[in-house]
Amino acid sequence: MDDLSNWYVRRSRRRFWKSTDDADKRAAYDTLYECLRTVAQLMAPLAPFTAEWLYGQLRPGKSVHLTTYPEASGARLDTDLEDRMGLARAVVTATLA
């Protein structure tokens, strides 16, 4: 959640606040929605009431406890991209310090 709120949302703020409804803005919202929906499903066994509230905000009238638990897609991780993103985050953190 820290990565989502402090990195994705913060870095995508301009995409969310655009006055036009273009494909980039829609992609930003779709990604955030998918992340929050998956987080609600993952946390349901440990924090059922919080997960139910979050999922209810995303899908009114639906219950997180009636959904299928998420499974790993089996997609190969891009370790080079993860390494470059780690470096970028370290540079931004050092700059803000």
Side-chain angles (χ1 to χ4, degrees):
M1 284 306 295
D2 184 55
D3 288 345
L4 179 64
S5 65
N6 285 329
W7 289 99
Y8 181 75
V9 173
R10 186 179 292 169
R11 303 308 319 157
S12 299
R13 193 172 293 159
R14 289 185 187 142
R15 294 171 70 193
F16 293 126
W17 290 352
K18 284 183 179 179
S19 60
T20 59
D21 189 20
D22 61 356
D24 184 50
K25 183 177 182 177
R26 175 59 37 204
Y29 276 114
D30 288 346
T31 301
L32 181 60
Y33 172 85
E34 190 66 27
C35 289
L36 291 174
R37 187 182 59 79
T38 303
V39 165
Q41 290 175 307
L42 291 172
M43 67 188 265
L46 302 172
F49 298 111
T50 305
E52 187 69 21
W53 175 85
L54 176 58
Y55 197 81
Q57 297 298 305
L58 299 170
R59 307 265 331 247
K62 306 287 184 181
S63 174
V64 70
H65 303 290
L66 299 176
T67 63
T68 305
Y69 199 73
E71 292 184 24
S73 66
R76 190 178 74 75
L77 296 177
D78 187 347
T79 56
D80 182 50
L81 176 62
E82 286 187 24
D83 292 342
R84 288 184 292 152
M85 189 62 206
L87 177 61
R89 288 177 58 173
V91 169
V92 169
T93 300
T95 302
L96 293 174

